[in-house]
């Protein structure tokens, strides 16, 4: 078999070679080898894609819709996204030149950062946050600047952003928000976004708004978006993986002003040519006729949230009030110290419950663990029982 040259470092992209693997996935895979473990690690719904969505894709296949789709996306899908954003947020994006179909939100992030970043540009990243952001920013040539939000109940405040811009903001191009948040489940109030928008404008930043969990908000709270306040500076990223249980379909979208979208669409076409035809048709069906699907899913997740939150609080865990998505970011009881990796590892080995160490989500996460409640009620109740056993045994 052929072998690589001895000077391997000269044959591989050095910037990519230096990027670490996802600690979240690596940890989840490691503990998955434990027989009988209850995994609350990965944010993937255990629900199935609704039948009407699957049927729409099947029908499209049977119509022999198997040729290249338009680079920005199929008309049916782009129109559906435009209508949805107008209905849900009251904002209008022209489906002809302000919306782009992507292969999930991960690809949307890649494309968006490649579109706006020049080498060395900084991106303000409130943490704790989904760790993939850091690698994507670096691949695009940018420099992520972590901003620990733990002192403000895991919300980036306008005052904190302004302070960061004064001290570290030279060369900053953008700030990214995840709303609702992964891993904390926090949701930005309209007042928070208005105050942030003023700072964003003052410092001439782009705002990337990852709103993949927008339909999964609880306790009668409402989702707001920077697109409603500063649409000319906001790049909205979203998709269907979470609210319609379509993670494996890999379908998302970007909505942005047409001046930015010209570059975004160009990069997207270079990367993927186009998104799969039948996936777009299924997604159009979901967005256009699937409101009841995510309403029912939201009710299921809210019941699950109550189970896991109540169980954790009885065992001495504290947390920022989770208001959306399907995660709890819980502070480990003080008697266990602050080594979240050791705690999560011991929990997995001794009582077979899988959680993710909070430090893997960046500054402010040390001493916390993230639990996903996108699992069945049975799994969650079992996890609570085992965590209770673990906590009591350590007394």
């Amino acid at each position: 078999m052929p072998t690589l040259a001895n000077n391997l470092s000269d044959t591989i992209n050095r910037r990519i070679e230096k990027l670490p693997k996802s600690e979240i996935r690596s940890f989840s895979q490691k503990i998955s080898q434990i027989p009988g473990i209850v995994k609350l690690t990965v944010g993937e719904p255990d629900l199935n894609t609704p039948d009407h969505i699957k049927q729409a894709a099947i029908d499209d296949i049977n119509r022999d819709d198997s040729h290249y789709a338009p680079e920005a996306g199929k008309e049916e899908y782009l129109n559906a996204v435009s209508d949805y954003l107008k209905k849900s947020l009251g904002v209008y994006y022209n489906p002809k030149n302000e919306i782009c179909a992507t292969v999930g939100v991960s690809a949307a992030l890649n494309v968006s950062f490649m579109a706006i970043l020049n080498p060395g540009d900084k991106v303000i990243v409130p943490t704790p946050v989904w760790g993939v952001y850091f690698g994507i920013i670096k691949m695009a040539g940018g420099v992520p600047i972590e901003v620990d939000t733990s002192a403000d109940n895991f919300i980036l405040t306008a005052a904190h952003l302004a302070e960061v811009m004064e001290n570290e903001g030279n060369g900053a191009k953008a700030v990214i928000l995840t709303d609702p948040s992964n891993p904390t489940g926090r949701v930005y109030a309209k007042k928070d976004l208005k105050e942030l928008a003023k700072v964003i404008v003052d410092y001439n930043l782009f705002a990337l708004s990852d709103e993949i969990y927008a339909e999964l908000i609880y306790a009668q709270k409402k989702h707001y978006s920077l697109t409603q306040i500063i649409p000319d500076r906001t790049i909205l990223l979203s998709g269907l993986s979470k609210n319609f249980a379509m993670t494996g379909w890999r379908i998302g979208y970007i909505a942005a002003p047409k001046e930015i979208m010209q570059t975004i669409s160009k990069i997207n076409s270079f990367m993927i040519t186009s998104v799969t035809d039948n996936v777009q048709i299924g997604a159009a069906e979901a967005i256009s006729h699937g409101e009841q699907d995510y309403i029912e899913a939201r009710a299921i997740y809210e019941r699950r949230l109550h189970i896991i939150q109540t169980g954790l609080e009885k065992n001495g865990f504290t947390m920022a009030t989770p208001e959306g998505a399907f995660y709890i970011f819980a502070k480990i009881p003080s008697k266990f110290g602050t080594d979240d990796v050791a705690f999560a590892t011991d929990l997995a080995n001794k009582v077979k419950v899988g959680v993710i160490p909070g430090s893997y989500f960046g500054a402010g996460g040390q001493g916390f663990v993230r639990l996903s409640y996108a699992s069945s009620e049975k799994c969650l109740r079992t996890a609570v029982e085992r965590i209770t056993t673990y906590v009591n045994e350590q007394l």
Side-chain angles (χ1 to χ4, degrees):
M1 295 178 63
T3 57
L4 290 173
N6 291 330
N7 57 339
L8 186 61
S9 61
D10 293 331
T11 64
I12 291 177
N13 185 319
R14 293 177 182 175
R15 189 172 74 243
I16 304 303
E17 188 181 14
K18 291 178 182 178
L19 295 179
K21 293 183 179 179
S22 168
E23 293 177 307
I24 297 170
R25 287 194 173 274
S26 296
F27 187 84
S28 180
Q29 290 169 1
K30 178 182 176 181
I31 64 173
S32 294
Q33 309 305 314
I34 300 173
I37 192 165
V38 175
K39 289 175 57 180
L40 307 182
T41 52
V42 180
E44 180 168 18
D46 68 324
L47 308 178
N48 293 320
T49 304
D51 288 340
H52 69 104
I53 300 171
K54 293 186 285 189
Q55 191 59 54
I58 292 168
D59 291 344
D60 192 60
I61 292 171
N62 289 332
R63 287 193 295 270
D64 290 320
D65 185 10
S66 56
H67 301 283
Y68 289 125
E71 292 177 353
K74 294 179 78 68
E75 183 178 356
E76 297 93 329
Y77 180 54
L78 301 179
N79 285 340
V81 171
S82 179
D83 291 344
Y84 163 75
L85 293 175
K86 188 172 183 179
K87 178 181 178 182
S88 62
L89 296 175
V91 297
Y92 176 70
Y93 286 91
N94 190 330
K96 296 185 184 301
N97 54 23
E98 293 183 320
I99 302 173
C100 178
T102 63
V103 182
V105 173
S106 296
L109 286 161
N110 274 283
V111 170
S112 297
F113 281 125
M114 289 177 68
I116 66 171
L117 295 181
N118 291 304
D121 283 346
K122 297 177 182 178
V123 179
I124 308 301
V125 184
T127 61
V129 75
W130 185 40
V132 172
Y133 285 173
F134 302 119
I136 291 176
I137 291 168
K138 291 176 182 177
M139 283 197 301
V143 179
I145 303 298
E146 293 189 46
V147 178
D148 180 356
T149 64
S150 57
D152 295 308
N153 210 13
F154 300 112
I155 290 291
L156 177 64
T157 65
H160 197 173
L161 177 59
E163 178 186 351
V164 171
M165 290 303 299
E166 284 298 313
N167 295 320
E168 303 178 68
N170 185 35
K173 176 67 70 71
V175 58
I176 184 164
L177 296 183
T178 315
D179 185 19
S181 165
N182 171 14
T184 66
R186 301 290 287 140
V187 172
Y188 282 80
K190 189 175 185 178
K191 177 177 179 290
D192 297 326
L193 294 177
K194 283 186 173 181
E195 292 173 352
L196 278 171
K198 186 178 185 306
V199 179
I200 290 167
V201 171
D202 287 346
Y203 287 95
N204 197 31
L205 297 172
F206 283 111
L208 277 75
S209 186
D210 182 347
E211 302 181 18
I212 185 66
Y213 298 99
E215 296 298 348
L216 301 179
I217 295 181
Y218 314 115
Q220 298 182 330
K221 290 188 72 70
K222 182 175 173 57
H223 173 66
Y224 296 98
S225 171
L226 284 171
T227 61
Q228 298 167 304
I229 308 166
I230 46 171
D232 57 321
R233 294 179 180 270
T234 304
I235 300 172
L236 185 154
L237 317 166
S238 195
L240 289 80
S241 291
K242 312 301 184 179
N243 50 349
F244 292 105
M246 294 174 67
T247 52
W249 293 62
R250 308 311 306 135
I251 179 70
Y253 59 84
I254 303 170
K258 63 181 180 180
E259 294 81 6
I260 304 172
M261 188 55 68
Q262 290 176 356
T263 302
I264 287 174
S265 294
K266 182 192 300 183
I267 296 169
N268 198 47
S269 67
F270 284 146
M271 289 181 66
I272 64 167
T273 302
S274 60
V275 176
T276 308
D277 287 309
N278 58 78
V279 169
Q280 291 193 66
I281 295 301
E285 167 66 21
I287 295 173
S288 299
H289 304 111
E291 182 176 5
Q292 192 59 36
D293 298 325
Y294 59 71
I295 289 175
E296 292 174 2
R298 185 163 57 213
I300 291 170
Y301 293 132
E302 191 161 15
R303 288 197 301 270
R304 295 175 177 182
L305 167 59
H306 178 73
I307 292 169
I308 194 72
Q309 182 175 1
T310 301
L312 289 173
E313 288 175 343
K314 285 181 179 178
N315 283 294
F317 292 80
T318 57
M319 65 209 69
T321 303
E323 302 164 316
F326 36 59
Y327 308 103
I328 281 184
F329 203 60
K331 187 172 181 60
I332 301 167
S334 57
K335 66 181 179 181
F336 294 105
T338 60
D339 189 337
D340 47 282
V341 176
F343 176 86
T345 302
D346 201 46
L347 188 70
N349 287 324
K350 289 185 175 177
V351 296
K352 300 183 178 183
V353 175
V355 301
I356 297 294
S359 56
Y360 291 170
F361 297 92
Q366 184 178 13
F368 287 77
V369 289
R370 189 195 75 173
L371 302 89
S372 167
Y373 51 91
S375 298
S376 69
E377 291 188 17
K378 180 180 178 181
C379 285
L380 295 174
R381 294 185 190 281
T382 299
V384 168
E385 290 173 2
R386 294 179 180 182
I387 290 170
T388 300
T389 298
Y390 178 80
V391 170
N392 289 335
E393 285 180 349
Q394 306 304 312
L395 291 175

